[in-house]
Structures are given as structure tokens and as C-alpha cells.
């Protein structure tokens, strides 16, 4: 199982959309995909028509009792090959209630290891704040995807995110690979083109060489609770996410090759 986390401490940059779209394309290609909602807001959970306010069990259950079989908390979605580990409101209290308890940083990592044969990919939608959930996501993933909205001030948020990454992953023996993904790109606006230009000068190695364009269909797909790849496979937004997926896959393949030498 490959584990990718999608994170940025800034909200509204396209994290949930990226998780849903990549998962949708993977499922369409026949992969078994698990999406995990680590955001107490529960947007990903709501996307798949579960209510973060009413669910009796969720990822939060795992943090309360690590003896629970994580697979018993997984729920189906309406889409073949896509399952979800949902969020509930309780996640918002995690840092206060259990953050200081030892062993809390590896809960997700252990849960995914226990399900490693069940899925080809696990995609983690991260919360927009630093805390025990973000620590868990970074400990569990093999690759971090950082969506950055192409607008003014976006680079400040990215710098913060990269600082957090360095801080959290300090104890790793090898650097956690990450890919910066410019999102909501509108080539008619100066904010978009200027931000992209700055990203390209500052983050040469870890920047994806293309962009996710603004596409109003994402909002429509979200309203309908359908991943855009399943709704409009030919839309420009989906074509961009297919390209991103291919880039992530070839990045991982290259890495595996280097590791094998
Ligand atoms: N490429 C895009 N083009 C247009 N709207 C988008 C795009 N990506 C995301 N959105 C919309 O922007 C809003 C925020 O996106 P979301 O993925 O929820 O961000 P985050 O998870 O980072 O808070 C949502 O309404 C979503 O539908
Ligand atoms: Mg979100």
C-alpha cells in the first residue's frame, strides 16, 4: 500500500478536492483506494454523504482505543474501489484530550499497516492546523502532496507548511518527499501568473511542473457528492489531476528504483 498525505496549514487551497480527485482517478483505473479524513471539519466525510456530527464511530475511535480493528471503522462509498475512514467532531478535541499521551503519533501509521493488504493506495486529507493529527499523517505517509492556491499570500502559507514539515519529520532517517501543487490557476489573473512565477523560481526541485486550473465543475461535483472524475471525466480539472497522478506515480517509481540500488 502506498500512503500519500495531502496537507497545507492554509484552508481552502484544494486539499479535499485533491484527495477526492486523485482517489477518483485511481479507483477508475482499478486501484483499491482508502481515503482518510483527518480534518475535524469533516469535509471529506460530508463529500461522501456521511455526517461528521452523527457517526457513531470514526478515526476518533482509533485514538480512543487502539485495540479496535481499524478495518471495522472503514465505510464504503457509492463508488467502486473507494472506501473511507471518516472524521467526527470529536477529532477537534484530540489535542486537548489525548495529545500528551504517549504513542499518539503513530496511531494512523499502525492502523494503515494493519490494512496494508486491503488497499493499493491510502490518501490522507489533513487538517489545516498543526497538531497530533498532522503529526500522525506525516508519520504515516510515503509522500506529501502540498496544494498551493495560486494567489497572493500563498507563499507565506507554503513557507509555514514547509517549516512544519521540517519540524515534524526531523526524526526520520530519510527526508519525506513532497510535491508542491499549484491549484486554482487562472491564467487571466496576475495573482495566478505571478504566484506561479515565484513558485518556479523558489521551489525548483519539489514543484510539480504543471497546474490544476480553476474549474467551476469541482464545486458542482462537491455539491452532488460525486468525485469529478466520475462525473465529468473529460473536464479540464480531471485531465489536470490525471496528469498530477502520473507525475506522483513516476516520482514514487523513481524513488523505489533508487532505494533498490
Ligand atoms: N481547481 C479548482 N477550481 C475551482 N474551484 C476549486 C478548485 N479546487 C477546489 N475548489 C473549490 O474551492 C473550495 C475549497 O476547496 P477544498 O478542496 O475544500 O480546500 P481545502 O480542503 O484545502 O480547505 C471548494 O469549494 C472547492 O470546490
Ligand atoms: Mg478540506
Amino acid at each position: 500500500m502506498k500512503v500519500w498525505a495531502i496537507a497545507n496549514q492554509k484552508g481552502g487551497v484544494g486539499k479535499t478536492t485533491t484527495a477526492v480527485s486523485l482517489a477518483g482517478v485511481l479507483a477508475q483505473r482499478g486501484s483499491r483506494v482508502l481515503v482518510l479524513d483527518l480534518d475535524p471539519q469533516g469535509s471529506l466525510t460530508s463529500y461522501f454523504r456521511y455526517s461528521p456530527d452523527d457517526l457513531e464511530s470514526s478515526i476518533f475511535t482509533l485514538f480512543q482505543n487502539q485495540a479496535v480493528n481499524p478495518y471495522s471503522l472503514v465505510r464504503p462509498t457509492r463508488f467502486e474501489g473507494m472506501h473511507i475512514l471518516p472524521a467526527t467532531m470529536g477529532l477537534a478535541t484530540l489535542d486537548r484530550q489525548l495529545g500528551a499521551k504517549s504513542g499518539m503519533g503513530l496511531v494512523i501509521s499502525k492502523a494503515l499497516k494493519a490494512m496494508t493488504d486491503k488497499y493499493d493506495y491510502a490518501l490522507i486529507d489533513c487538517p489545516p492546523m498543526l497538531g497530533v493529527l498532522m503529526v500522525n499523517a506525516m508519520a504515516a505517509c510515503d509522500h506529501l502532496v502540498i496544494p498551493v492556491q495560486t494567489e497572493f499570500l500563498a507563499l507565506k502559507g507554503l513557507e509555514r507548511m514547509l517549516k512544519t514539515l521540517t519540524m515534524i519529520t526531523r526524526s526520520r532517517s530519510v527526508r519525506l518527499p513532497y510535491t508542491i501543487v499549484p491549484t486554482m490557476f487562472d491564467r487571466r489573473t496576475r495573482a495566478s501568473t505571478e504566484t506561479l512565477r515565484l513558485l518556479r523560481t523558489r521551489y525548483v526541485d519539489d514543484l510539480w511542473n504543471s497546474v490544476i486550473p480553476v474549474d467551476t465543475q469541482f464545486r458542482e461535483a462537491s455539491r452532488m457528492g460525486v468525485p469529478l472524475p466520475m462525473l465529468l471525466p473529460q473536464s479540464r480539472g480531471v485531465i489536470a489531476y490525471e496528469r498530477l497522478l502520473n507525475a506522483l506515480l513516476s516520482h514514487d517509481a523513481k524513488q523505489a528504483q533508487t532505494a533498490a540500488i
Side-chain angles (χ1 to χ4, degrees), residues 61-217:
T61 316
L62 269 184
F63 284 90
Q64 291 173 305
N65 178 4
Q66 289 188 54
V68 171
N69 175 0
Y71 197 55
S72 71
L73 304 171
V74 168
R75 290 159 201 261
T77 70
R78 286 188 286 145
F79 310 97
E80 200 183 331
M82 286 181 83
H83 290 175
I84 181 168
L85 243 174
T88 41
M89 306 299 280
L91 282 179
T93 66
L94 203 63
D95 279 283
R96 195 158 21 92
Q97 285 193 2
L98 303 166
K101 231 173 98 180
S102 71
M104 281 294 133
L106 294 174
V107 174
I108 299 297
S109 178
K110 285 182 191 156
L112 289 176
K113 285 208 174 92
M115 297 189 281
T116 191
D117 296 334
K118 309 256 188 224
Y119 299 99
D120 302 305
Y121 292 91
L123 269 56
I124 306 176
D125 189 13
C126 291
M129 62 276 187
L130 176 56
V132 85
L133 289 162
M134 184 87 99
V135 169
N136 264 271
M138 297 208 184
C141 75
D142 316 303
H143 195 145
L144 185 66
V145 177
I146 309 177
V148 174
Q149 187 177 350
T150 45
E151 47 130 37
F152 294 122
L153 300 178
L155 274 76
K156 274 258 163 307
L158 175 58
E159 277 164 30
R160 264 184 77 210
M161 183 61 225
L162 293 175
K163 272 200 194 112
T164 299
L165 173 68
T166 316
M167 206 164 72
I168 295 184
T169 57
R170 203 165 275 161
S171 61
R172 275 188 177 236
S173 52
V174 282
R175 174 181 175 272
L176 175 64
Y178 63 88
T179 301
I180 299 165
V181 177
T183 61
M184 300 185 214
F185 183 77
D186 183 347
R187 64 188 162 77
R188 295 164 305 179
T189 69
R190 210 171 81 78
S192 272
T193 53
E194 186 60 14
T195 305
L196 186 63
R197 193 185 65 75
L198 283 172
L199 283 171
R200 286 189 170 151
T201 53
R202 287 189 205 171
Y203 301 96
V204 186
D205 294 337
D206 304 299
L207 179 70
W208 179 41
N209 63 10
S210 187
V211 296
I212 303 295
V214 163
D215 186 341
T216 52
Q217 304 292 353

Side-chain angles (χ1 to χ4, degrees), residues 15-16 39 43 125:
K15 290 184 291 296
T16 302
D39 186 349
S43 320
D125 189 13

Side-chain angles (χ1 to χ4, degrees), residues 213-232:
V214 163
D215 186 341
T216 52
Q217 304 292 353
F218 282 113
R219 213 160 265 146
E220 182 59 16
S222 155
R223 199 182 59 75
M224 293 171 69
V226 179
L228 192 56
M230 276 79 174
L231 189 68
L232 292 169

Side-chain angles (χ1 to χ4, degrees), residues 26-42:
L26 280 166
Q28 275 181 330
R29 292 186 184 177
S31 292
R32 299 164 303 164
V33 189
L34 177 67
V35 291
L36 291 87
D37 193 355
L38 254 58
D39 186 349
Q41 297 268 333

